[in-house]
Amino acid sequence: MDGFLFNAIVYILAAIVCVPIAKRLGMGSVLGYLIAGILVGPYGFAFIQDESQGQDIMHSTEFGVVMMLFLIGLELEPKNLWKMREMILKVGLSQVVATSGLIFGLGLILEIDWRISLAAALSMALSSTAIVLQSLKEKNQMDTSTGKLSFGVLLLQDIAVIPILAILPLLAVAGPELSGSEHGGFLEHQPGWVQTLMIFVAIGVVILLGRFGFGPLLNWVSKTKLRELFTASALLIVVGIAFLMELVGLSPALGTFLAGVILANSPYKHALESDLDPFKGLLLGLFFMAVGATVNFDLIFSDAVNVFSITFGVILIKALVLGVIGKTRKLSLPDNLRFSVGLAQVSEFSFVTYAFALQLGILTATTSGILMAITALSMTFTPIFSLLLDKIILPSLEKRNAKPKPEADQIDERNTVILVGFSHFGSTMGRFLRANGIEATVLDYDPDRVDFLRKMGFKVYFGDATRLDLLHAAGAENAKILISAIRSTETNKKLVELCHENFPHLEVMIRAKNRYEAFELMEMGVENIYREHLDTSIRMGQEALQKLGFRAHTVQRLAAQFRKYDEDSLKVLVKYRSNETEYISKIRKQIEIQEALLSGELSRKFSMNDSAWDSDQLKEESE
C-alpha cells in the first residue's frame, strides 16, 4: 500500500509540474505527460526502477485510450459522417493510404519482414488526435481551413483504427512461424478462419447490444435519479465491451469505438460524455506518462543513428503527403505548412496497435520498443517543429512576401465624425450613422478591405490613423468625435495618446474587447469605452426573459439598469486590477450589490405576471 501511495504521489506531482510548463511553451499536454513519464522513469530520476513496472502501469491505463475511442465514437453521428463524406474519403482516406503505402515500401527497401512493415506502416499513418485537436483549440484554429482539413483527416484516422485492429490478427495468421504466439482469449488455439469469424461475430454482438440493449439499460437506471448509478452503468458498458473484445483476442478499443458510434444518437449521449470524460482524462494522462517511463533510451542510443533517421524519415513522409493534399485543397503556403507539420507525428493509438501486434507475435519485444521510441520521439519533435514554424519560419516568410503598403489616400472631405476601422463592427456603426444622416470620414489600414468596400459603394480612405499627419488631413482639428472600431489594443492606446496630446477637444469613443482592455483605457483617461460583447449579451438576456414571461417594459428597464450597474462597477474594480486577491473580493461584492439592486427594482416596481403596460406596439418596439 505504501508503495502504491508513493507512486501515485510521484505521478501526480510530475504531471502537475510538467504539463503546465509544456502547455505554456505551446507543446500541448500530451508532450507534458510524456516528459513527466521520462523524468520519473528508469532513465530520469528512477522513481520507476525498471521498464516492466512502467509496462504494468501502461497496460492498466490503456483503459484511458479505450474510453477515448468510446467518446470519439459518441461524436460520430452517422448523419454528420455522411455530410463530411467528401472530406473524409478524399482527404482522410488518401492520406492514410498514401502514407502507409510509402512507409510500407520503405520497410521493404530496408529488408524488414513484410508483416512487420505493414503493421508499422498502418500504425504510423495515424496522427495524434489528442495533440492536434488540443493544439488547434489552443490556437483558435478549429474553424480555419487548416482546422477543418485537419479534423477531416483525424476523423478518418479514428475510423481507420477499426480495420487496422481487424487486419492485425490476419497478419499473425499469415505468418506460420508466428502461429504459436500468444493471441490471448479463449480462441488462441483455434484455426485462423475461426478467429477471424469470431471477430465479426463479436462486432455484430456489440452492434446488437448498442441498438437494443444499452438504451433500455440506461433508461431504467436514469429513472433512479442517482448520478453515481448512471456513471456506474456507463463504466459497465465500456468495461463489458472491453471484456468481450479481449475474449476474442481483439483490442477493447475496437468494440468501444463501435458502441460509441451506435450510441451517438442516444438521448443519453451527453450524459455519458460528461460522466466518462474525467476518467478518460486521468487515465489517458497516466497512459502517456507510462509510455514516457517505458521509452528504452538504452535501445535508442545503442542504435541512435537509425532510430533518429527513421523518426525524421517518418515525419518527413507524413509531412510531404499532407503537403500534397493541402496543395490540392488550395491551402495557402502558411496554412499548408501548419497543416502538414501539425499532423506529422505518430498517433497515441499506435501504442495500442504495437501492444496488440506484440501480443499477436507480429512484433518482437525489441522491435516494439524501437517503434514505441520512434512514436514517442515524433510526438516530442512535431510540437517543437510547430513552435518553430509559428514563431520563426512563418513570420520571416510573411515578412519576405509581404506586399508594400500603398501610400495613404488624399482625404478630400471634412466631417464631424472620424471613424477608424471599417470591418464588421465599424461598418455596422458607419451604416447606422449614415442611415440617420451623419456622414463620417472612414479610415482603414487594410488595403484589401478598402478595395473590397469601395466596390460595394462605401467611401473609405486607406491610411494609418496613428499617423498625426493623416488625422490632420482627416480634419481632426474641427471634428467633434473620433470613433475607434478596431480590435488592436496597442493601436487603440496609441490613438488615445495621440488624440489627448494633439486634439484634446475630440470626444474619443473606443471599442474594447473585454473588461481588462477597458481597465487599461480607463487608466489612460478614456471615458467612452464600449465592450464589444456587452450589448449583445444583454440583448440576448432580454429576449430570454421575455420568452420566460417577463413584460417587455420591465425587461427594457432591467437591461438599462444592469448596463448602468456594470459600467459603474468597472470604475470601482479598475482601482484593484493589479491586486488579484482584492480584485476577486471586490468583484464578488459588486456582483452581490448588482444582483440585490436588480432584484429590489423588480420586486418594488414590477410584477412578472403583470402585462397591463405591454401593448403590441411596445412589444414590437422593444424587440
Side-chain angles (χ1 to χ4, degrees):
M1 186 66 177
D2 291 341
F4 170 78
L5 293 176
F6 177 74
N7 287 338
I9 291 171
V10 167
Y11 267 81
I12 294 170
L13 186 60
I16 290 173
V17 172
C18 295
V19 175
I21 293 174
K23 289 196 70 175
R24 189 176 291 273
L25 293 174
M27 295 185 289
S29 62
V30 173
L31 184 57
Y33 284 120
L34 286 171
I35 294 171
I38 292 170
L39 290 177
V40 302
Y43 301 97
F45 294 107
F47 291 109
I48 296 176
Q49 296 295 329
D50 54 58
E51 291 167 32
S52 61
Q53 188 180 353
Q55 289 280 2
D56 292 338
I57 297 170
M58 187 166 67
H59 289 318
S60 302
T61 55
E62 277 178 9
F63 201 61
V65 180
V66 171
M67 283 192 179
M68 184 177 186
L69 269 174
F70 178 72
L71 293 174
I72 288 173
L74 282 175
E75 294 296 325
L76 302 182
E77 295 185 37
K79 62 179 181 181
N80 292 335
L81 290 177
W82 181 251
K83 289 178 184 177
M84 297 183 65
R85 63 189 183 278
E86 182 181 358
M87 178 78 74
I88 292 171
L89 293 176
K90 288 188 178 180
V91 177
L93 186 60
S94 59
Q95 182 274 329
V96 172
V97 171
T99 304
S100 55
L102 288 172
I103 296 176
F104 177 63
L106 179 64
L108 295 180
I109 292 172
L110 296 174
E111 298 182 349
I112 299 172
D113 182 88
W114 72 271
R115 300 172 196 84
I116 297 175
S117 297
L118 184 56
L122 292 172
S123 301
M124 290 182 169
L126 308 178
S127 303
S128 173
T129 302
I131 290 177
V132 177
L133 286 185
Q134 182 169 317
S135 176
L136 290 172
K137 288 176 182 176
E138 289 172 354
K139 297 175 182 177
N140 294 317
Q141 294 178 351
M142 283 299 296
D143 294 327
T144 64
S145 53
T146 302
K148 291 175 182 177
L149 207 58
S150 299
F151 184 76
V153 171
L154 292 171
L155 194 56
L156 188 280
Q157 290 179 355
D158 291 337
I159 297 171
V161 172
I162 297 175
I164 290 172
L165 293 175
I167 287 170
L168 290 179
L170 300 179
L171 295 181
V173 172
E177 70 277 9
L178 301 174
S179 60
S181 64
E182 289 195 19
H183 185 293
F186 69 89
L187 294 175
E188 63 178 288
H189 301 299
Q190 299 296 325
W193 67 269
V194 174
Q195 296 181 23
T196 303
L197 177 63
M198 290 308 297
I199 288 171
F200 289 104
V201 170
I203 292 172
V205 170
V206 170
I207 293 172
L208 289 173
L209 285 173
R211 292 185 66 87
F212 305 109
F214 300 146
L217 171 66
L218 295 171
N219 181 50
W220 181 61
V221 171
S222 65
K223 292 178 180 178
T224 65
K225 307 295 184 183
L226 296 173
R227 180 165 183 180
E228 64 272 19
L229 199 58
F230 191 89
T231 303
S233 302
L235 289 170
L236 175 64
I237 290 172
V238 178
V239 174
I241 294 172
F243 178 71
L244 175 64
M245 291 293 104
E246 285 196 338
L247 281 179
V248 296
L250 270 181
S251 169
L254 171 63
T256 52
F257 179 83
L258 270 178
V261 173
I262 295 164
L263 289 170
N265 291 316
S266 166
Y268 306 104
K269 167 186 172 179
H270 298 296
L272 288 168
E273 287 176 333
S274 62
D275 283 352
L276 292 178
D277 197 62
F279 294 99
K280 179 213 74 174
L282 178 62
L283 290 172
L284 264 182
L286 288 173
F287 173 78
F288 289 126
M289 288 181 70
V291 168
T294 55
V295 173
N296 191 330
F297 284 94
D298 286 339
L299 192 63
I300 293 174
F301 291 118
S302 66
D303 197 11
V305 174
N306 284 333
V307 170
F308 281 96
S309 297
I310 294 172
T311 300
F312 291 125
V314 168
I315 291 174
L316 181 61
I317 288 173
K318 296 190 74 172
L320 288 174
V321 170
L322 290 161
V324 171
I325 292 172
K327 185 71 174 177
T328 61
R329 303 297 293 189
K330 298 181 179 179
L331 287 181
S332 64
L333 179 59
D335 286 343
N336 201 4
L337 287 172
R338 291 190 186 98
F339 169 65
S340 54
V341 173
L343 277 79
Q345 75 289 116
V346 185
S347 172
E348 59 271 10
F349 295 139
S350 300
F351 295 121
V352 179
T353 58
Y354 299 148
F356 190 38
L358 177 62
Q359 182 186 20
L360 292 168
I362 300 171
L363 301 178
T364 63
T366 301
T367 305
S368 175
I370 292 174
L371 291 176
M372 288 180 66
I374 292 169
T375 300
L377 288 172
S378 75
M379 295 173 79
T380 303
F381 286 133
T382 48
I384 296 172
F385 292 158
S386 294
L387 200 63
L388 293 173
L389 185 70
D390 289 334
K391 300 295 183 183
I392 299 174
I393 300 173
L394 288 181
S396 63
L397 276 176
E398 289 170 0
K399 187 176 181 180
R400 185 182 306 170
N401 299 327
K403 296 178 182 178
K405 293 279 187 182
E407 291 294 322
D409 292 329
Q410 294 294 322
I411 302 175
D412 56 5
E413 63 176 332
R414 298 290 185 274
N415 293 302
T416 56
V417 177
I418 299 173
L419 176 57
V420 180
F422 212 62
S423 59
H424 298 297
F425 190 97
S427 62
T428 301
M429 182 178 296
R431 287 188 293 111
F432 177 76
L433 292 174
R434 192 169 69 175
N436 289 277
I438 302 297
E439 292 292 337
T441 302
V442 182
L443 308 176
D444 198 287
Y445 196 46
D446 186 332
D448 295 330
R449 182 159 58 228
V450 170
D451 289 341
F452 180 71
L453 289 168
R454 284 173 177 170
K455 292 175 183 176
M456 294 176 63
F458 292 102
K459 192 170 185 179
V460 184
Y461 296 98
F462 171 78
D464 181 2
T466 59
R467 282 174 46 187
L468 183 60
D469 61 325
L470 191 69
L471 289 177
H472 279 295
E477 298 95 336
N478 300 313
K480 294 182 178 180
I481 299 174
L482 184 141
I483 301 172
S484 175
I486 57 180
R487 281 183 60 88
S488 171
T489 306
E490 293 306 316
T491 304
N492 274 333
K493 289 163 69 175
K494 189 174 180 182
L495 194 58
V496 168
E497 291 174 354
L498 203 60
C499 289
H500 282 179
E501 185 177 345
N502 298 279
F503 311 105
H505 69 283
L506 263 183
E507 192 84 17
V508 179
M509 304 173 71
I510 301 289
R511 169 191 182 183
K513 287 181 285 190
N514 48 50
R515 66 169 53 207
Y516 301 106
E517 184 174 317
F519 288 150
E520 293 185 49
L521 294 169
M522 289 171 70
E523 290 173 342
M524 296 178 68
V526 181
E527 296 181 359
N528 304 299
I529 301 169
Y530 302 87
R531 286 172 282 161
E532 59 187 39
H533 299 304
L534 178 64
D535 288 317
T536 304
S537 303
I538 293 175
R539 186 165 62 85
M540 184 181 290
Q542 285 181 254
E543 295 186 5
L545 289 178
Q546 285 184 244
K547 293 179 187 297
L548 291 171
F550 280 64
R551 296 185 296 111
H553 183 76
T554 302
V555 169
Q556 288 278 35
R557 179 74 66 100
L558 292 174
Q561 292 285 4
F562 182 90
R563 186 181 291 105
K564 178 182 181 300
Y565 295 150
D566 197 71
E567 296 290 352
D568 289 344
S569 72
L570 283 187
K571 298 174 184 177
V572 175
L573 295 172
V574 67
K575 303 172 185 176
Y576 305 97
R577 62 184 297 259
S578 58
N579 186 328
E580 184 177 350
T581 304
E582 281 290 321
Y583 179 79
I584 292 173
S585 173
K586 293 295 180 183
I587 199 170
R588 291 182 64 164
K589 186 67 175 176
Q590 288 297 313
I591 290 171
E592 289 175 7
I593 294 172
Q594 186 175 358
E595 290 179 352
L597 288 170
L598 285 170
S599 61
E601 183 76 10
L602 179 63
S603 62
R604 185 172 64 254
K605 293 187 178 181
F606 308 108
S607 167
M608 187 180 80
N609 297 316
D610 178 13
S611 57
W613 288 11
D614 276 344
S615 67
D616 291 338
Q617 180 182 0
L618 179 59
K619 288 182 179 179
E620 290 173 1
E621 289 174 353
S622 67
E623 291 177 353

